[in-house]
Amino acid sequence: MAREKWGTKLGFMLAAMGSAVGLGNIWRFSFVAGNNGGGAFLILYLLFVLIIGVPLLLTEVSIGRKAESDVVGSFKKLAPGTPWYLTGFFGIASAFLILSFYAVVAGWAMFYFWNYLNGSFFAQPAAGYEGAFGQFISHTWHPIAWTAFFMILTIVIVLSGVKKGIELANKIFMPMLALILIVLAFFSLSLDGASEGLKFLFTPDWTALSNPSIYIAALGQAFFSLSLGMGAMLTYGSYLKKENKLPSATLGIGLMDTFFAVISGIVIFPAVFAFGIDPSSGPPLVFITLPSIFEQMPLGGMVGLIFFFALILASLSSSVSILEVPTAYFMRVFGWSRFATSTVMGSIMFVMGIAVSLGFGVWSGVTPIGERNILDSMDYIASNILLPLGGLSMALLVGWYFKKSEALEATDLTSSPIGSTWFTIVKWVAPILIIMIFLNKIGII
Ligand code: TRP
């Protein structure tokens, strides 16, 4: 059977942007920035997106397009007889870890959507938004039912095939989400005490840089937000026709993704300070901040309804790209149908998601890594360790195993003035930075 292909270059762009923009920009960006002191984190994050993220995004997509295979198959094809294909198994492992908590958080968003649909979040519930949210996530099976619902939607899109399912879902709702966020940003800025939030986000407190955790947090956020290092972008790249041009496409994806993160910050942090919420509330941060914004806004209930609808769609266009990674691999090696593969993989992730969800209730005492609950532990291993290692491996493949001319050809940079800069980054700058951040975290530097 011929491999599936994107309908148009725009189809690929939308799907890749859809993959990048999701809960990572709004939910994860806000709480990680909040935990890491705001301004200094934002600067590091932007720096890493620019000097590591975007160049490696180009690298990752080009590996997929050149090899026309899944995460494991691509490395076997391009570097036969080397252990490079192990990168693919790291990617598959991080897909399982990430989607199992991603589906839980997306399930929370669906619960919010439901509460705006039936009007019960138009005004503060008796327990307040924070209390209502706390009750919901600590319930044993309510949030799990929403996780299941989200996972089923993800599976249905993935099993309906590359073109029809994924391209379509992205065309309408990305612009809509951007529009709502811009409106929300203006509103949030008009709140009393907004300037405190802007100061938090845009005035770096440089002493935060003496904590080695901030570097790995910013690196992990850059990878997570750009969908980088897992092989999701590689797999999407493998459905590209050869004639598409990559550098402008990947720069566009990087800019769009960063725009969504920064605008989310401008929405969330003024409100965090205006409503007296602790910026280091962790994963619940946006879920306790946003409803307070909507409550204060004229027609806020309607805005909340549309916002959560768009957020769910943005999450779906991201979750399908994660499920696509193991699906593409297992379809090829087992020869299963797309239907069977995506259903089986999605179901396993759902079962892992049950543990994540219980981690906010009956299993809240389970802290596998340090002080972290189940979600934070899985997120830490996947986003802060596996994804950067995946990116490192891809950079080493293209920077060292390929000849320079081959690398430039694979990325459509052969006759481009930025070709040599890109190659130097991929060969030297990005690997050295990633290794330094790891060594620094372990305490060696
Ligand atoms: N980038 C997405 C977000 O910000 C999440 C995501 C999709 C992802 N595909 C990925 C993260 C691959 C890491 C790897 O919500």
Side-chain angles (χ1 to χ4, degrees):
M1 195 182 75
R3 288 187 101 245
E4 296 155 287
K5 293 283 172 192
W6 300 109
T8 57
K9 178 180 173 185
L10 182 68
F12 164 76
M13 282 290 288
L14 286 168
M17 283 182 184
S19 170
V21 176
L23 292 168
N25 305 67
I26 297 169
W27 162 75
R28 197 178 187 283
F29 173 79
S30 306
F31 89 76
V32 177
N35 278 343
N36 287 281
F41 171 86
L42 178 66
I43 302 251
L44 276 184
Y45 163 74
L46 293 175
L47 217 67
F48 290 164
V49 167
L50 191 71
I51 54 180
I52 303 177
V54 172
L56 288 194
L57 189 58
L58 177 56
T59 307
E60 179 169 337
V61 176
S62 75
I63 293 174
R65 185 182 62 168
K66 186 173 162 78
E68 292 184 273
S69 186
D70 52 82
V71 246
V72 178
S74 290
F75 291 97
K76 286 202 167 153
K77 223 175 198 172
L78 297 181
T82 69
W84 246 295
Y85 70 93
L86 294 173
T87 319
F89 291 111
F90 275 30
I92 290 171
S94 54
F96 277 91
L97 289 170
I98 291 179
L99 192 48
S100 57
F101 71 77
Y102 205 86
V104 171
V105 179
W108 298 349
M110 294 184 90
F111 171 75
Y112 271 54
F113 173 69
W114 170 242
N115 278 292
Y116 280 100
L117 197 63
N118 67 26
S120 47
F121 270 12
F122 281 31
Q124 292 254 356
Y129 290 117
E130 191 164 359
F133 179 67
Q135 270 168 26
F136 166 67
I137 57 170
S138 58
H139 193 279
T140 299
W141 62 269
H142 283 170
I144 293 176
W146 289 103
T147 304
F149 192 14
F150 182 81
M151 195 60 98
I152 291 169
L153 291 177
T154 302
I155 293 171
V156 168
I157 299 181
V158 170
L159 62 79
S160 68
V162 174
K163 250 196 271 181
K164 272 182 287 161
I166 305 171
E167 275 184 38
L168 213 77
N170 284 298
K171 284 193 177 157
I172 309 162
F173 292 97
M174 298 267 302
M176 200 157 139
L177 189 66
L179 200 71
I180 303 176
L181 281 171
I182 293 170
V183 174
L184 283 180
F186 278 107
F187 183 77
S188 201
L189 288 173
S190 76
L191 294 168
D192 279 344
S195 58
E196 194 64 14
L198 285 183
K199 220 168 89 200
F200 179 80
L201 189 60
F202 292 114
T203 315
D205 166 12
W206 298 117
T207 57
L209 295 182
S210 60
N211 181 352
S213 300
I214 193 176
Y215 299 92
I216 204 146
L219 185 71
Q221 178 58 25
F223 272 82
F224 188 97
S225 194
L226 292 170
S227 301
L228 198 59
M230 172 195 285
M233 291 297 190
L234 181 156
T235 307
Y236 274 11
S238 77
Y239 304 132
L240 263 174
K241 297 178 184 136
K242 291 276 188 235
E243 65 268 26
N244 293 298
K245 290 280 169 280
L246 295 186
S248 57
T250 45
L251 184 63
I253 296 164
L255 287 174
M256 175 65 64
D257 187 65
T258 307
F259 166 78
F260 271 93
V262 173
I263 196 94
S264 303
I266 300 177
V267 172
I268 301 296
F269 287 105
V272 161
F273 285 88
F275 298 121
I277 296 163
D278 177 5
S280 57
S281 301
L285 183 70
V286 299
F287 289 94
I288 52 191
T289 309
L290 285 167
S292 307
I293 305 181
F294 296 131
E295 194 196 22
Q296 300 272 312
M297 244 179 136
L299 294 179
M302 280 309 293
V303 182
L305 182 73
I306 305 172
F307 174 85
F308 281 104
F309 188 69
L311 181 61
I312 291 163
L313 287 164
S315 308
L316 274 171
S317 59
S318 302
S319 62
V320 294
S321 75
I322 305 176
L323 183 56
E324 184 66 21
V325 171
T327 300
Y329 170 70
F330 285 105
M331 269 173 76
R332 179 178 60 82
V333 291
F334 290 165
W336 294 353
S337 66
R338 178 170 273 280
F339 186 94
T341 320
S342 55
T343 309
V344 170
M345 298 306 140
S347 304
I348 299 171
M349 292 162 175
F350 167 66
V351 172
M352 294 168 63
I354 295 177
V356 173
S357 186
L358 294 178
F360 290 91
V362 290
W363 287 355
S364 58
V366 182
T367 50
I369 301 182
E371 301 279 89
R372 296 180 179 85
N373 68 9
I374 300 178
L375 187 154
D376 288 332
S377 300
M378 288 169 55
D379 181 27
Y380 188 83
I381 297 176
S383 313
N384 292 3
I385 299 172
L386 293 179
L387 296 181
L389 283 180
L392 175 63
S393 166
M394 294 174 195
L396 295 178
L397 177 81
V398 172
W400 294 85
Y401 186 84
F402 284 14
K403 289 201 244 4
K404 183 174 176 183
S405 57
E406 248 181 317
L408 292 176
E409 201 203 319
T411 46
D412 306 325
L413 284 172
T414 304
S415 51
S416 160
I418 59 162
S420 286
T421 313
W422 167 81
F423 191 70
T424 310
I425 289 179
V426 169
K427 183 164 185 156
W428 296 103
V429 180
I432 290 175
L433 273 173
I434 295 172
I435 292 169
M436 273 173 54
I437 292 168
F438 276 126
L439 293 180
N440 176 51
K441 173 67 189 163
I442 307 168
I444 295 182
I445 301 187

